[in-house]
Amino acid sequence: MGAERKIALVTGAGSGIGKATTLALLKEGYSVVLAGRRPEALEQTMSEAGHRRSACLAVPTDVSNSSSIRDLFEKTKNTFGRLDLLF
């Protein structure tokens, strides 16, 4: 992923507002880390992203679990090197 792209992390990216936000950010040129409890829902959002799918990283995450959150931020850092927006 190019360093020129802004990096966003969206919780609840598998449905509702989180899903809509993810798709809107992708259209605006962001790379997006999709976080949510249900891997299949995250996969569906990525599928709906179409050709922008390559700018996505899905990380199944339970935000009530501290080790899950640490894993989410570690994967974000390892993949993109930074985070510009948290939603």
Side-chain angles (χ1 to χ4, degrees), residues 14-86:
S15 64
I17 294 170
K19 181 178 189 174
T21 300
T22 296
L23 297 173
L25 288 168
L26 288 166
K27 286 181 184 176
E28 292 299 317
Y30 279 77
S31 291
V32 181
V33 180
L34 292 77
R37 289 178 290 152
R38 298 176 296 134
E40 63 282 350
L42 298 178
E43 184 60 38
Q44 179 62 37
T45 300
M46 289 177 59
S47 177
E48 291 182 32
H51 71 278
R52 294 179 181 95
R53 179 187 182 106
S54 63
C56 295
L57 171 66
V59 182
T61 305
D62 178 353
V63 296
S64 69
N65 180 303
S66 61
S67 64
S68 184
I69 294 169
R70 277 191 297 276
D71 183 55
L72 170 64
F73 282 98
E74 183 177 317
K75 287 180 178 176
T76 300
K77 182 180 178 185
N78 289 341
T79 302
F80 298 110
R82 67 175 203 280
L83 180 62
D84 300 304
L85 173 70
L86 175 61

Side-chain angles (χ1 to χ4, degrees), residues 5-20:
R5 280 185 176 260
K6 290 188 177 181
I7 312 303
L9 188 157
V10 178
T11 61
S15 64
I17 294 170
K19 181 178 189 174

